[in-house]
Amino acid sequence: MTQEEQQQAELQLQEFSKKIDFYTSEYTIEILAQKVANEDFGVPDYQREFTWEPERKCRFIESLLMGLPIPFVFLWMNDQTGQLEIVDGSQRLRTLEEYMNNRLQLDGLDRLSRLNGTKFEDLILPRQRKFQNQSIRAVVLSDKTDLESRIDLFERINTGSKVANPAEVRRGALRGPFMDFIIDVAKDEQFTRLATVTTSQKATREREELALRFFAYTDGLDEYKDRVKEFLFAYTRNMNSAFEARPELANEYRQRLARVLDFVEQSFTLGFRKSAGAKTTPRARFESIAIGAYEALQVNPNLTVTQEQTEAIVKSKEFLKKVTSDGANVKSKLVGRIVVMKNALLEDA
């Protein structure tokens, strides 16, 4: 690492550190449950839809009853409202409130099997008091911590857990006219036919992810710096403002996608799929074909190619190398797979 690279890395670290300011605090379980019941905590939309299954709730309560340490709760202090928003830990806090108010019956416990079928009110009074007085440590982020940093923290803490993916997080955290537009175009019949996804991918908003990438990348990659999540987050936030100021943009952007979909349907036998029986649409392949076709049409609006020609393109060594190489989200790789399709389409026209 050169001295200049070290300095750039240090500047990046300093810039990010400015966004994270926090202190620690401890709350009793009784206080936390009361705050949840009184709706004193704010629950962001990107967490609201995700609920633990009963088995996980019961195991969490069992851990507390056994006195096992549990992860910190992360909160954010909104100075404007004075309300604490839950950055991470909403499921734990809501489970506490549910148990303390006797709406959760324990079941499936291994270690404390004699508590199966019981509720909080069934504990002897000293045990109830001991449970209520247990403390849970919280990390409270200051108002300086912006939304993007809070979401990033939530995702990092929950790596490997069953939580919202970036498309789902954006859906909850960045609702606005452009996000509503993305949700709508992702349901387009032609788009769903050409960009196939599995049932599980549909549930996790994969087609919304593809649609968003199409618009973000066709609008330009000047601000793209190898980090897809951050790029798409900033783009969506900015486009919400643009669509709010100019509602007519929705028709313009819808026509942009429709033009490319029509071209792909006429020119590519399999649409964005890799094979006739494929149920998924590889992102790199979609980006290459969709954005490459868009850019080729910008150069030659009357572009026509045969399915035989595109079949040769997608089977070429150059194309396959571009859409299957490692480091798929590196800017040079992204640009490379777009350009290879654009040039091939224009050459065959």
Side-chain angles (χ1 to χ4, degrees), residues 162-223:
K162 184 182 177 183
V163 295
N165 63 25
E168 295 167 313
V169 168
R170 285 191 299 268
R171 201 181 214 263
L174 295 172
R175 289 311 292 262
F178 179 69
M179 191 70 250
D180 291 340
F181 167 77
I182 290 294
I183 293 170
D184 185 51
V185 298
K187 301 173 185 176
D188 177 83
E189 187 275 332
Q190 187 180 30
F191 188 36
T192 60
R193 185 160 28 85
L194 295 174
T196 54
V197 298
T198 63
T199 301
S200 61
Q201 286 180 319
K202 181 180 179 181
T204 54
R205 323 294 182 188
E206 177 63 15
R207 205 174 278 113
E208 291 175 21
E209 178 77 15
L210 296 177
L212 179 58
R213 289 184 182 217
F214 171 78
F215 292 114
Y217 296 163
T218 54
D219 269 341
L221 294 168
D222 291 343
E223 301 300 319

Side-chain angles (χ1 to χ4, degrees), residues 81-143:
T81 65
Q83 186 182 44
L84 287 170
E85 180 181 286
I86 303 171
V87 176
D88 180 72
S90 68
Q91 300 305 322
R92 280 168 277 162
L93 296 182
R94 284 186 277 182
T95 298
L96 284 176
E97 188 276 332
E98 192 176 343
Y99 181 63
M100 291 277 292
N101 286 289
N102 300 301
R103 299 195 314 280
L104 175 63
Q105 179 174 294
L106 300 180
D107 192 24
L109 304 186
D110 294 327
R111 295 294 182 87
L112 303 178
S113 58
R114 293 185 180 275
L115 289 180
N116 285 328
T118 69
K119 298 180 180 180
F120 177 72
E121 63 188 0
D122 295 316
L123 298 174
I124 62 174
L125 186 59
R127 178 59 61 181
Q128 290 183 19
R129 289 171 175 164
K130 185 174 181 178
F131 184 84
Q132 291 172 324
N133 289 324
Q134 280 183 248
S135 63
I136 292 179
R137 186 166 294 182
V139 173
V140 183
L141 305 169
S142 76
D143 191 53

Side-chain angles (χ1 to χ4, degrees), residues 17 22 26 36 64 76 79 104 108 120 131 138 142 149 169 173 206 215 224 242 247 273 278 281 309-311 332 347:
S17 297
F22 65 91
E26 291 197 9
V36 172
L64 285 171
W76 172 64
D79 283 350
L104 175 63
F120 177 72
F131 184 84
S142 76
S149 297
V169 168
E206 177 63 15
F215 292 114
Y224 186 81
R273 293 173 297 165
T281 299
Q309 289 173 314
T310 59
E311 187 72 11
S332 60
E347 288 171 5

Side-chain angles (χ1 to χ4, degrees), residues 303-306 308-310 312-313 343-349:
L303 177 65
T304 58
V305 293
T306 66
E308 289 75 15
Q309 289 173 314
T310 59
I313 293 173
N343 290 343
L345 291 172
L346 291 172
E347 288 171 5
D348 286 342

